[in-house]
């Protein structure tokens, strides 16, 4: 099996806040950062979408700098989500249009898939 040239990882959190979300974010960063360090992948970009599906629909995201990969372990001690959360329902088209997440004639499900 050949080694991937570059891996793009994206994460968002949705639903209600839960104590495990920060730890899940930390684990995702640790897993892929270790894969990079161990030579299992050649390159890595980790993107976090801000405020759940809202961030996915509006493109509001942040790329995690490789400089902080090793600092994410402190997230295991926190609750909630460091990247925010929302209860946006992709099936509620009218609400997503009213809130400016998608334009008239667009569907949130299709937008999120892009």
């Amino acid at each position: 099996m050949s080694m991937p040239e570059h891996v793009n990882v994206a994460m968002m959190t949705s639903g209600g806040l839960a104590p495990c979300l920060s730890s899940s974010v930390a684990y995702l960063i640790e897993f892929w950062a270790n894969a990079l360090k161990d030579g299992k992948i050649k390159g890595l970009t980790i993107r976090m979408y801000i405020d759940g599906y809202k961030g996915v629909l509006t493109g509001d995201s942040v790329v995690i700098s490789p400089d902080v990969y090793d600092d994410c372990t402190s997230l295991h001690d926190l609750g909630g989500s460091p990247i925010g959360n929302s209860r946006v329902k992709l099936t509620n088209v009218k609400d997503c249009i009213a809130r400016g997440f998608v334009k008239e004639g667009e569907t949130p499900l299709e937008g999120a898939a892009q």
Side-chain angles (χ1 to χ4, degrees):
M1 180 179 209
S2 66
M3 181 186 326
E5 288 293 318
H6 192 94
V7 173
N8 291 299
V9 177
M11 183 177 197
M12 50 136 281
T13 57
S14 66
L17 290 177
C20 62
L21 290 177
S22 286
S23 195
S24 296
V25 170
Y27 181 76
L28 180 88
I29 296 169
E30 291 167 351
F31 177 87
W32 287 105
N34 286 333
L36 182 64
K37 286 179 197 173
D38 295 343
K40 294 178 181 175
I41 59 175
K42 292 182 180 179
L44 176 64
T45 300
I46 301 176
R47 177 176 306 275
M48 300 287 172
Y49 284 94
I50 307 302
D51 295 328
Y53 283 114
K54 175 184 173 187
V56 172
L57 293 172
T58 62
D60 189 9
S61 67
V62 62
V63 173
I64 304 300
S65 170
D67 298 341
V68 299
Y69 288 170
D70 292 332
D71 298 332
C72 71
T73 58
S74 62
L75 293 174
H76 289 295
D77 298 326
L78 301 174
S81 174
I83 56 176
N85 207 343
S86 71
R87 293 182 183 257
V88 171
K89 292 188 179 186
L90 297 179
T91 55
N92 189 339
V93 178
K94 288 181 184 180
D95 181 58
C96 288
I97 291 171
R99 295 170 70 182
F101 300 153
V102 294
K103 296 176 183 168
E104 191 74 44
E106 297 177 344
T107 63
L109 286 171
E110 290 174 3
Q114 301 301 318

